[in-house]
């Protein structure tokens, strides 16, 4: 059955916080996928929280950046079947360089069976973080050992 829209949500943990306040670079990342048609509004909610909303012809994007937590929340809503949401997810994860990503994919407006409503969730941890964690555990065992 045809669905009306798709929503991809991302939780980006332990990001490179040096890139949080470069508004032009964040806009360029969004424009690289959707072109210059996106109308971006940004606001600083408080010292540790900024928000970006980009509206375009076939959907919208919302980013919330929490600098103290090194966390970025991303919602990408598209009304077409192109791979733009996945492409933007790749661009944003490359830009913010998170150590851990949790993504959830939702089919919006799916009038199929109710059991199909469950979202698909994926979690990916950057390999460098795994190496650091294993190395720290080995050192702890050697010291206690």
């Amino acid at each position: 059955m045809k669905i009306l829209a798709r929503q991809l949500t991302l939780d980006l943990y332990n990001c490179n916080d040096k890139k949080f306040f470069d508004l032009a670079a964040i806009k360029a990342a969004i424009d690289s996928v959707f072109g210059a048609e996106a109308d971006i509004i940004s606001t600083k909610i408080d010292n540790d929280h900024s928000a970006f909303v980009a509206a375009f012809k076939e959907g919208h994007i919302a980013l919330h950046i929490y600098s103290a937590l090194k966390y970025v929340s991303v919602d990408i809503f598209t009304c077409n079947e192109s791979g733009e949401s996945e492409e933007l997810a790749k661009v944003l994860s490359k830009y913010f360089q998170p150590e851990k990503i949790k993504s959830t994919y939702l089919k919006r407006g799916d009038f199929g069976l109710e059991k199909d409503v469950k979202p698909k969730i994926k979690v990916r941890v950057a390999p460098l973080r795994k190496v650091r964690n294993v190395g720290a555990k080995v050192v702890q065992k050697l010291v206690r050992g």
Side-chain angles (χ1 to χ4, degrees):
M1 172 164 282
K2 185 165 174 57
I3 60 173
L4 296 178
R6 289 152 181 73
Q7 185 168 359
L8 178 62
T9 64
L10 304 170
D11 292 309
L12 308 176
Y13 298 97
N14 206 11
C15 295
N16 181 351
D17 59 347
K18 294 179 179 102
K19 297 186 172 189
F20 283 170
F21 303 106
D22 190 350
L23 305 179
I26 294 170
K27 181 173 178 10
I30 294 170
D31 287 347
S32 72
V33 176
F34 292 102
E37 74 176 50
D39 184 21
I40 299 177
I41 300 169
S42 65
T43 185
K44 187 171 185 174
I45 296 170
D46 60 34
N47 288 339
D48 294 328
H49 183 192
S50 298
F52 296 85
V53 176
F56 52 95
K57 185 178 179 182
E58 291 291 326
H60 64 271
I61 304 157
L63 280 90
H64 286 269
I65 299 172
Y66 299 88
S67 58
L69 300 172
K70 295 185 176 184
Y71 169 75
V72 178
S73 170
V74 182
D75 294 328
I76 306 167
F77 184 91
T78 57
C79 299
N80 56 27
E81 295 187 31
S82 70
E84 292 173 331
S85 57
E86 290 82 4
E87 181 64 27
L88 182 61
K90 290 177 187 176
V91 168
L92 290 175
S93 65
K94 185 177 179 181
Y95 177 79
F96 288 113
Q97 300 171 337
E99 289 186 1
K100 180 179 176 184
I101 300 172
K102 178 182 172 189
S103 64
T104 306
Y105 181 76
L106 300 168
K107 294 178 181 176
R108 305 297 303 267
D110 182 1
F111 297 98
L113 299 175
E114 189 173 315
K115 69 179 182 178
D116 294 338
V117 175
K118 293 182 182 179
K120 295 178 184 174
I121 299 172
K122 293 181 184 178
V123 176
R124 182 179 61 81
V125 177
L128 182 59
R129 178 68 175 186
K130 288 180 185 178
V131 169
R132 274 193 259 153
N133 288 346
V134 170
K137 289 177 184 177
V138 169
V139 169
Q140 285 177 352
K141 292 199 184 240
L142 291 174
V143 170
R144 290 184 188 159

